[in-house]
PDB file of all heavy atoms in Angstrom:
ATOM      1  N   ILE A  66      57.586  83.617  45.999  1.00  0.00           N
ATOM      2  CA  ILE A  66      57.986  85.003  45.751  1.00  0.00           C
ATOM      3  C   ILE A  66      57.837  85.355  44.275  1.00  0.00           C
ATOM      4  O   ILE A  66      57.156  86.317  43.920  1.00  0.00           O
ATOM      5  CB  ILE A  66      59.442  85.259  46.218  1.00  0.00           C
ATOM      6  CG1 ILE A  66      59.546  85.130  47.742  1.00  0.00           C
ATOM      7  CG2 ILE A  66      59.924  86.626  45.770  1.00  0.00           C
ATOM      8  CD1 ILE A  66      60.937  85.377  48.303  1.00  0.00           C
ATOM      9  N   ARG A 117      56.843  92.432  49.313  1.00  0.00           N
ATOM     10  CA  ARG A 117      56.202  91.219  48.806  1.00  0.00           C
ATOM     11  C   ARG A 117      54.697  91.412  48.853  1.00  0.00           C
ATOM     12  O   ARG A 117      54.164  91.840  49.879  1.00  0.00           O
ATOM     13  CB  ARG A 117      56.587  89.995  49.649  1.00  0.00           C
ATOM     14  CG  ARG A 117      58.068  89.687  49.593  1.00  0.00           C
ATOM     15  CD  ARG A 117      58.400  88.390  50.323  1.00  0.00           C
ATOM     16  NE  ARG A 117      59.837  88.305  50.542  1.00  0.00           N
ATOM     17  CZ  ARG A 117      60.447  87.335  51.211  1.00  0.00           C
ATOM     18  NH1 ARG A 117      59.724  86.350  51.731  1.00  0.00           N
ATOM     19  NH2 ARG A 117      61.756  87.335  51.365  1.00  0.00           N
ATOM     20  N   GLU A 119      51.827  90.077  49.680  1.00  0.00           N
ATOM     21  CA  GLU A 119      51.227  88.985  50.442  1.00  0.00           C
ATOM     22  C   GLU A 119      49.970  89.496  51.104  1.00  0.00           C
ATOM     23  O   GLU A 119      49.713  90.694  51.121  1.00  0.00           O
ATOM     24  CB  GLU A 119      52.185  88.534  51.550  1.00  0.00           C
ATOM     25  CG  GLU A 119      53.569  88.171  51.054  1.00  0.00           C
ATOM     26  CD  GLU A 119      54.312  87.330  52.072  1.00  0.00           C
ATOM     27  OE1 GLU A 119      53.838  86.211  52.358  1.00  0.00           O
ATOM     28  OE2 GLU A 119      55.352  87.778  52.584  1.00  0.00           O
ATOM     29  N   GLY A 124      52.692  90.263  61.689  1.00  0.00           N
ATOM     30  CA  GLY A 124      53.987  89.665  61.342  1.00  0.00           C
ATOM     31  C   GLY A 124      54.192  89.438  59.861  1.00  0.00           C
ATOM     32  O   GLY A 124      55.173  88.833  59.446  1.00  0.00           O
ATOM     33  N   ARG A 125      53.228  89.884  59.030  1.00  0.00           N
ATOM     34  CA  ARG A 125      53.376  89.706  57.589  1.00  0.00           C
ATOM     35  C   ARG A 125      52.877  90.979  56.897  1.00  0.00           C
ATOM     36  O   ARG A 125      51.715  91.328  57.008  1.00  0.00           O
ATOM     37  CB  ARG A 125      52.562  88.478  57.136  1.00  0.00           C
ATOM     38  CG  ARG A 125      52.891  88.000  55.736  1.00  0.00           C
ATOM     39  CD  ARG A 125      52.170  86.712  55.386  1.00  0.00           C
ATOM     40  NE  ARG A 125      52.656  85.553  56.123  1.00  0.00           N
ATOM     41  CZ  ARG A 125      53.815  84.939  55.892  1.00  0.00           C
ATOM     42  NH1 ARG A 125      54.599  85.372  54.923  1.00  0.00           N
ATOM     43  NH2 ARG A 125      54.182  83.907  56.608  1.00  0.00           N
ATOM     44  N   TYR A 126      53.782  91.653  56.252  1.00  0.00           N
ATOM     45  CA  TYR A 126      53.456  92.949  55.649  1.00  0.00           C
ATOM     46  C   TYR A 126      53.901  92.971  54.196  1.00  0.00           C
ATOM     47  O   TYR A 126      54.604  92.076  53.742  1.00  0.00           O
ATOM     48  CB  TYR A 126      54.134  94.071  56.448  1.00  0.00           C
ATOM     49  CG  TYR A 126      53.867  93.929  57.922  1.00  0.00           C
ATOM     50  CD1 TYR A 126      54.803  93.339  58.764  1.00  0.00           C
ATOM     51  CD2 TYR A 126      52.635  94.302  58.446  1.00  0.00           C
ATOM     52  CE1 TYR A 126      54.531  93.160  60.116  1.00  0.00           C
ATOM     53  CE2 TYR A 126      52.348  94.125  59.791  1.00  0.00           C
ATOM     54  CZ  TYR A 126      53.306  93.547  60.621  1.00  0.00           C
ATOM     55  OH  TYR A 126      53.022  93.354  61.944  1.00  0.00           O
ATOM     56  N   PHE A 129      58.199  95.166  54.404  1.00  0.00           N
ATOM     57  CA  PHE A 129      58.726  94.758  55.703  1.00  0.00           C
ATOM     58  C   PHE A 129      60.233  94.958  55.654  1.00  0.00           C
ATOM     59  O   PHE A 129      60.778  95.369  54.638  1.00  0.00           O
ATOM     60  CB  PHE A 129      58.352  93.303  56.006  1.00  0.00           C
ATOM     61  CG  PHE A 129      58.948  92.307  55.044  1.00  0.00           C
ATOM     62  CD1 PHE A 129      60.060  91.555  55.402  1.00  0.00           C
ATOM     63  CD2 PHE A 129      58.412  92.130  53.778  1.00  0.00           C
ATOM     64  CE1 PHE A 129      60.620  90.634  54.518  1.00  0.00           C
ATOM     65  CE2 PHE A 129      58.975  91.215  52.881  1.00  0.00           C
ATOM     66  CZ  PHE A 129      60.072  90.482  53.264  1.00  0.00           C
ATOM     67  N   GLN A 131      64.258  93.666  56.546  1.00  0.00           N
ATOM     68  CA  GLN A 131      65.168  92.569  56.874  1.00  0.00           C
ATOM     69  C   GLN A 131      66.548  93.106  57.198  1.00  0.00           C
ATOM     70  O   GLN A 131      66.961  94.141  56.679  1.00  0.00           O
ATOM     71  CB  GLN A 131      65.311  91.609  55.683  1.00  0.00           C
ATOM     72  CG  GLN A 131      64.096  90.743  55.428  1.00  0.00           C
ATOM     73  CD  GLN A 131      64.330  89.721  54.322  1.00  0.00           C
ATOM     74  OE1 GLN A 131      65.200  89.899  53.472  1.00  0.00           O
ATOM     75  NE2 GLN A 131      63.546  88.659  54.329  1.00  0.00           N
ATOM     76  N   LYS A 214      52.288  75.821  53.284  1.00  0.00           N
ATOM     77  CA  LYS A 214      51.733  76.261  54.571  1.00  0.00           C
ATOM     78  C   LYS A 214      50.328  75.692  54.780  1.00  0.00           C
ATOM     79  O   LYS A 214      49.690  75.979  55.787  1.00  0.00           O
ATOM     80  CB  LYS A 214      51.697  77.785  54.626  1.00  0.00           C
ATOM     81  CG  LYS A 214      53.089  78.388  54.548  1.00  0.00           C
ATOM     82  CD  LYS A 214      53.170  79.762  55.142  1.00  0.00           C
ATOM     83  CE  LYS A 214      54.606  80.241  55.246  1.00  0.00           C
ATOM     84  NZ  LYS A 214      55.271  80.438  53.938  1.00  0.00           N
ATOM     85  N   ARG A 262      63.914  75.591  52.345  1.00  0.00           N
ATOM     86  CA  ARG A 262      63.716  77.024  52.337  1.00  0.00           C
ATOM     87  C   ARG A 262      62.871  77.437  51.141  1.00  0.00           C
ATOM     88  O   ARG A 262      62.845  76.766  50.137  1.00  0.00           O
ATOM     89  CB  ARG A 262      65.064  77.746  52.334  1.00  0.00           C
ATOM     90  CG  ARG A 262      65.928  77.341  53.522  1.00  0.00           C
ATOM     91  CD  ARG A 262      65.581  78.145  54.757  1.00  0.00           C
ATOM     92  NE  ARG A 262      65.535  79.547  54.422  1.00  0.00           N
ATOM     93  CZ  ARG A 262      64.416  80.277  54.395  1.00  0.00           C
ATOM     94  NH1 ARG A 262      63.273  79.732  54.706  1.00  0.00           N
ATOM     95  NH2 ARG A 262      64.449  81.530  54.062  1.00  0.00           N
ATOM     96  N   GLY A 263      62.183  78.556  51.276  1.00  0.00           N
ATOM     97  CA  GLY A 263      61.280  79.013  50.229  1.00  0.00           C
ATOM     98  C   GLY A 263      61.976  79.542  48.986  1.00  0.00           C
ATOM     99  O   GLY A 263      61.334  79.936  48.030  1.00  0.00           O
ATOM    100  N   LEU A 264      63.279  79.584  49.001  1.00  0.00           N
ATOM    101  CA  LEU A 264      64.011  80.096  47.850  1.00  0.00           C
ATOM    102  C   LEU A 264      64.818  78.959  47.248  1.00  0.00           C
ATOM    103  O   LEU A 264      65.254  78.061  47.953  1.00  0.00           O
ATOM    104  CB  LEU A 264      64.940  81.246  48.272  1.00  0.00           C
ATOM    105  CG  LEU A 264      64.240  82.504  48.787  1.00  0.00           C
ATOM    106  CD1 LEU A 264      63.708  82.328  50.197  1.00  0.00           C
ATOM    107  CD2 LEU A 264      65.167  83.687  48.751  1.00  0.00           C
ATOM    108  N   THR A 284      58.678  82.304  62.371  1.00  0.00           N
ATOM    109  CA  THR A 284      60.075  82.277  61.927  1.00  0.00           C
ATOM    110  C   THR A 284      60.639  83.690  61.930  1.00  0.00           C
ATOM    111  O   THR A 284      60.156  84.551  61.204  1.00  0.00           O
ATOM    112  CB  THR A 284      60.197  81.670  60.514  1.00  0.00           C
ATOM    113  OG1 THR A 284      59.599  80.375  60.535  1.00  0.00           O
ATOM    114  CG2 THR A 284      61.643  81.529  60.101  1.00  0.00           C
ATOM    115  N   VAL A 285      61.646  83.932  62.761  1.00  0.00           N
ATOM    116  CA  VAL A 285      62.195  85.289  62.836  1.00  0.00           C
ATOM    117  C   VAL A 285      63.460  85.442  62.002  1.00  0.00           C
ATOM    118  O   VAL A 285      63.882  86.551  61.705  1.00  0.00           O
ATOM    119  CB  VAL A 285      62.505  85.716  64.289  1.00  0.00           C
ATOM    120  CG1 VAL A 285      61.209  85.829  65.086  1.00  0.00           C
ATOM    121  CG2 VAL A 285      63.476  84.767  64.961  1.00  0.00           C
ATOM    122  N   CYS A 286      64.044  84.310  61.594  1.00  0.00           N
ATOM    123  CA  CYS A 286      65.315  84.395  60.880  1.00  0.00           C
ATOM    124  C   CYS A 286      65.513  83.108  60.091  1.00  0.00           C
ATOM    125  O   CYS A 286      65.184  82.024  60.581  1.00  0.00           O
ATOM    126  CB  CYS A 286      66.440  84.568  61.891  1.00  0.00           C
ATOM    127  SG  CYS A 286      68.095  84.529  61.203  1.00  0.00           S
ATOM    128  N   ALA A 287      66.007  83.230  58.877  1.00  0.00           N
ATOM    129  CA  ALA A 287      66.174  82.042  58.056  1.00  0.00           C
ATOM    130  C   ALA A 287      67.366  82.219  57.131  1.00  0.00           C
ATOM    131  O   ALA A 287      67.642  83.324  56.660  1.00  0.00           O
ATOM    132  CB  ALA A 287      64.916  81.805  57.220  1.00  0.00           C
ATOM    133  N   ALA A 309      68.700  85.945  56.564  1.00  0.00           N
ATOM    134  CA  ALA A 309      67.955  87.201  56.679  1.00  0.00           C
ATOM    135  C   ALA A 309      67.043  87.097  57.882  1.00  0.00           C
ATOM    136  O   ALA A 309      66.453  86.046  58.135  1.00  0.00           O
ATOM    137  CB  ALA A 309      67.129  87.442  55.418  1.00  0.00           C
ATOM    138  N   LEU A 310      66.964  88.181  58.626  1.00  0.00           N
ATOM    139  CA  LEU A 310      66.029  88.159  59.756  1.00  0.00           C
ATOM    140  C   LEU A 310      64.940  89.203  59.554  1.00  0.00           C
ATOM    141  O   LEU A 310      65.134  90.223  58.902  1.00  0.00           O
ATOM    142  CB  LEU A 310      66.765  88.353  61.079  1.00  0.00           C
ATOM    143  CG  LEU A 310      67.599  89.596  61.318  1.00  0.00           C
ATOM    144  CD1 LEU A 310      66.740  90.764  61.731  1.00  0.00           C
ATOM    145  CD2 LEU A 310      68.609  89.272  62.415  1.00  0.00           C
ATOM    146  N   GLY A 311      63.776  88.888  60.092  1.00  0.00           N
ATOM    147  CA  GLY A 311      62.604  89.755  59.942  1.00  0.00           C
ATOM    148  C   GLY A 311      62.554  90.764  61.075  1.00  0.00           C
ATOM    149  O   GLY A 311      62.323  90.404  62.230  1.00  0.00           O
ATOM    150  N   ARG A 314      59.160  91.168  63.137  1.00  0.00           N
ATOM    151  CA  ARG A 314      58.879  90.035  64.041  1.00  0.00           C
ATOM    152  C   ARG A 314      59.790  90.090  65.262  1.00  0.00           C
ATOM    153  O   ARG A 314      59.366  89.823  66.386  1.00  0.00           O
ATOM    154  CB  ARG A 314      59.039  88.713  63.298  1.00  0.00           C
ATOM    155  CG  ARG A 314      57.984  88.547  62.213  1.00  0.00           C
ATOM    156  CD  ARG A 314      58.079  87.212  61.495  1.00  0.00           C
ATOM    157  NE  ARG A 314      57.267  87.257  60.277  1.00  0.00           N
ATOM    158  CZ  ARG A 314      57.165  86.268  59.413  1.00  0.00           C
ATOM    159  NH1 ARG A 314      57.819  85.129  59.635  1.00  0.00           N
ATOM    160  NH2 ARG A 314      56.412  86.390  58.338  1.00  0.00           N
TER     161      ARG A 314
HETATM  162  P1  ATP B 501      57.446  82.884  55.514  1.00  0.00           P
HETATM  163  O1  ATP B 501      57.548  81.404  55.477  1.00  0.00           O
HETATM  164  O2  ATP B 501      57.052  83.432  56.855  1.00  0.00           O
HETATM  165  O3  ATP B 501      56.666  83.455  54.376  1.00  0.00           O
HETATM  166  P2  ATP B 501      59.830  83.240  53.995  1.00  0.00           P
HETATM  167  O4  ATP B 501      60.431  81.896  53.897  1.00  0.00           O
HETATM  168  O5  ATP B 501      59.059  83.770  52.850  1.00  0.00           O
HETATM  169  O6  ATP B 501      58.948  83.372  55.322  1.00  0.00           O
HETATM  170  P3  ATP B 501      62.391  84.521  53.929  1.00  0.00           P
HETATM  171  O7  ATP B 501      62.333  84.855  52.506  1.00  0.00           O
HETATM  172  O8  ATP B 501      63.255  83.440  54.386  1.00  0.00           O
HETATM  173  O9  ATP B 501      60.903  84.296  54.464  1.00  0.00           O
HETATM  174  O10 ATP B 501      62.713  85.849  54.770  1.00  0.00           O
HETATM  175  C1  ATP B 501      63.449  85.827  55.986  1.00  0.00           C
HETATM  176  C2  ATP B 501      62.627  86.397  57.124  1.00  0.00           C
HETATM  177  O11 ATP B 501      62.011  87.610  56.757  1.00  0.00           O
HETATM  178  C3  ATP B 501      61.465  85.524  57.557  1.00  0.00           C
HETATM  179  O12 ATP B 501      61.895  84.522  58.419  1.00  0.00           O
HETATM  180  C4  ATP B 501      60.591  86.513  58.278  1.00  0.00           C
HETATM  181  O13 ATP B 501      61.051  86.741  59.587  1.00  0.00           O
HETATM  182  C5  ATP B 501      60.777  87.756  57.453  1.00  0.00           C
HETATM  183  N1  ATP B 501      59.674  87.935  56.494  1.00  0.00           N
HETATM  184  C6  ATP B 501      59.476  87.317  55.317  1.00  0.00           C
HETATM  185  N2  ATP B 501      58.375  87.755  54.700  1.00  0.00           N
HETATM  186  C7  ATP B 501      57.840  88.712  55.515  1.00  0.00           C
HETATM  187  C8  ATP B 501      56.693  89.577  55.443  1.00  0.00           C
HETATM  188  N3  ATP B 501      55.884  89.576  54.387  1.00  0.00           N
HETATM  189  N4  ATP B 501      56.460  90.421  56.482  1.00  0.00           N
HETATM  190  C9  ATP B 501      57.280  90.459  57.556  1.00  0.00           C
HETATM  191  N5  ATP B 501      58.374  89.678  57.680  1.00  0.00           N
HETATM  192  C10 ATP B 501      58.666  88.813  56.671  1.00  0.00           C
END
Side-chain angles (χ1 to χ4, degrees):
I66 294 181
R117 297 186 194 176
E119 306 198 63
R125 194 174 290 286
Y126 310 98
F129 63 102
Q131 287 185 337
K214 297 204 171 65
R262 303 276 311 111
L264 295 76
T284 304
V285 294
C286 174
L310 58 81
R314 294 183 194 178

